């Protein structure tokens, strides 16, 4: 499987390139809006070709798939162009800045007959998969409530457009809260129906962007959840809890890009830690993507999953702006 990177990003450098190679793939192209950056990135990461020209990259018949990690407002046109060129697409979240654009992207992939996936890495964590299985096995009874705490400190290297550029989809909601939505959906096997939210400007973000948010969510089953996301919490740990009629799952340090953390099952019988797979999250994601291309199963998170998490993020923004509870409307 031969890949091209659309976007010379930190996440590709730190995680995705290695995951592609660990799954037997190669990376032959990288595209950036800056030619010098593209060439330096290619040289640093063992990539042969560097370009600022998307059409040149997509015209290469040797390219099977693209990974899109440009700023959010660019995803739509790049993904549609890649699909029309017959390339399989793995796109960063959020898929786009509007539901209409996200639907158009997924439709383009479907029309072209290519695999289209969203890079929601957290559902690939062994910790979250162990929690999902524990719930399915009835170990906590009927789930009633959940909490996600995903407040972190955004490193200086990532503090560019995320805290300064509303037109690129900056702010904590479309950067982090959409991950909460996907992880909750995956672990609970349930769908959010409505959300209320309050955002905060804690001093990092500018231009009217929120750098922290708290939400309360009602799910289709009746379960209620709360989330806390931030760019500004230097010393907070992350975690995920699910509380049921017969027990609780309490996970710590699991809202992360690395396969770390702990999951504890607490019931009337006491506490015990759950074992889980420590394979890299992106290695698992790329393995599923390659298998889907081979006709074996589906990607870890497909285009519809990306639409659903975007719908959640947009509902959070609307709820925070209006002070009202807002339905999560996906258009699916």
């Amino acid at each position: 499987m031969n890949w091209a990177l659309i976007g010379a990003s930190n996440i590709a450098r730190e995680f995705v390139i290695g995951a592609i190679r660990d799954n037997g793939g190669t990376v032959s192209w990288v595209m950036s809006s800056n030619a010098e950056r593209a060439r330096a990135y290619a040289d640093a990461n063992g990539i042969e070709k560097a370009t600022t020209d998307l059409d040149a990259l997509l015209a290469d018949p040797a390219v099977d798939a693209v990974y899109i990690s440009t700023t959010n407002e660019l995803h739509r046109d790049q993904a549609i162009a890649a699909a029309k060129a017959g390339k399989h697409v793995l796109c960063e979240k959020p898929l786009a800045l509007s539901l209409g654009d996200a639907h158009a992207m997924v439709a383009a992939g479907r029309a072209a007959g290519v695999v289209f996936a969203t890079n929601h890495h957290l559902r690939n964590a062994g910790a979250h998969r162990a929690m999902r299985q524990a719930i399915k096995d009835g170990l906590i009874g009927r789930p009633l409530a959940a909490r996600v705490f995903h407040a972190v400190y955004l490193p200086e290297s990532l503090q560019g457009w995320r805290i300064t550029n509303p037109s690129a989809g900056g702010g904590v909601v479309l950067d982090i809260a959409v991950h909460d939505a996907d992880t909750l959906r995956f672990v609970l096997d349930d769908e959010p129906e409505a959300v209320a939210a309050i955002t905060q400007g804690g001093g990092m973000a500018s231009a009217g962007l929120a750098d922290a948010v708290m939400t309360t969510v009602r799910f289709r089953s009746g379960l209620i959840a709360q989330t806390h996301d931030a760019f500004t919490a230097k010393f907070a740990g992350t975690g995920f809890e699910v509380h049921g009629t017969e027990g609780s799952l309490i996970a710590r340090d699991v809202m992360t890009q690395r396969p770390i953390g702990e999951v504890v099952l607490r019931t009337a019988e006491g506490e015990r830690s759950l074992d889980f797979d420590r394979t890299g999250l992106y290695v698992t994601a790329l393995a599923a993507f390659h298998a889907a291309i081979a006709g074996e199963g589906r990607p870890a998170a497909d285009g519809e999953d990306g639409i659903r998490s975007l719908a959640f993020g947009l509902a959070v923004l609307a709820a925070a702006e209006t002070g009202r509870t807002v339905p999560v409307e996906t258009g699916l």
Side-chain angles (χ1 to χ4, degrees):
M1 188 64 56
N2 184 26
W3 286 76
L5 307 179
I6 300 176
S9 66
N10 290 319
I11 189 171
R13 183 185 68 248
E14 292 184 28
F15 297 104
V16 175
I17 295 171
I20 289 170
R21 290 170 175 164
D22 285 348
N23 279 286
T26 59
V27 182
S28 60
W29 285 84
V30 61
M31 190 201 88
S32 172
S33 60
N34 181 287
E36 184 177 344
R37 173 176 169 77
R39 186 67 262 167
Y41 190 99
D43 291 343
N45 293 285
I47 300 170
E48 179 185 358
K49 299 173 184 178
T51 187
T52 60
D53 186 346
L54 178 63
D55 291 337
L57 179 155
L58 295 178
D60 185 350
V63 172
D64 301 302
V66 300
Y67 168 59
I68 300 173
S69 59
T70 49
T71 50
N72 301 325
E73 82 283 10
L74 302 176
H75 292 176
R76 180 197 64 186
D77 291 350
Q78 292 168 342
I80 290 174
K84 288 182 176 179
K87 314 302 183 185
H88 304 286
V89 177
L90 174 60
C91 186
E92 267 304 322
K93 57 76 217 168
L95 288 185
L97 300 183
S98 75
L99 281 178
D101 285 350
H103 277 277
M105 295 161 68
V106 174
R110 188 178 301 115
V114 299
V115 174
F116 189 103
T118 310
N119 193 32
H120 275 307
H121 62 281
L122 288 170
R123 62 167 56 205
N124 298 295
H128 295 139
R129 294 186 171 210
M131 294 175 74
R132 175 183 167 96
Q133 190 60 51
I135 293 169
K136 287 189 175 298
D137 289 343
L139 299 187
I140 65 167
R142 179 168 60 90
L144 298 173
R147 290 201 306 153
V148 174
F149 27 113
H150 200 170
V152 298
Y153 189 75
L154 188 67
E156 187 174 349
S157 62
L158 299 180
Q159 286 182 20
W161 63 270
R162 287 176 175 83
I163 60 171
T164 62
N165 193 346
S167 65
V172 74
V173 173
L174 293 185
D175 198 60
I176 298 183
V178 292
H179 278 313
D180 297 352
D182 187 72
T183 309
L184 283 162
R185 288 185 58 244
F186 176 75
V187 170
L188 299 171
D189 195 18
D190 202 352
E191 296 295 338
E193 287 192 330
V195 62
I198 297 175
T199 54
Q200 178 186 59
M204 178 184 288
S206 60
L209 290 171
D211 51 30
V213 62
M214 287 189 174
T215 77
T216 54
V217 191
R218 183 180 70 247
F219 280 76
R220 182 180 296 166
S221 67
L223 178 142
I224 55 176
Q226 60 181 195
T227 73
H228 176 208
D229 304 297
F231 289 156
T232 53
K234 291 184 178 180
F235 305 107
T238 69
F240 188 174
E241 299 174 356
V242 184
H243 305 287
T245 55
E246 305 298 330
S248 292
L249 291 164
I250 300 168
R252 294 292 182 266
D253 299 322
V254 295
M255 304 301 289
T256 173
Q257 293 169 296
R258 302 187 185 280
I260 61 173
E262 178 186 32
V263 180
V264 170
L265 171 66
R266 183 181 295 163
T267 67
E269 298 177 355
E271 291 188 359
R272 65 180 175 94
S273 293
L274 300 184
D275 293 329
F276 58 86
D277 183 17
R278 303 279 178 167
T279 302
L281 282 64
Y282 297 89
V283 173
T284 299
L286 267 296
F289 191 88
H290 285 185
I293 291 172
E296 301 169 1
R298 61 184 293 275
D302 62 17
E304 181 175 308
D305 292 315
I307 289 171
R308 291 185 181 279
S309 62
L310 174 61
F312 179 91
L314 295 176
V316 168
L317 291 171
E321 182 178 0
T322 63
R324 299 176 180 175
T325 300
V326 172
V328 179
E329 298 177 331
T330 66
L332 292 168

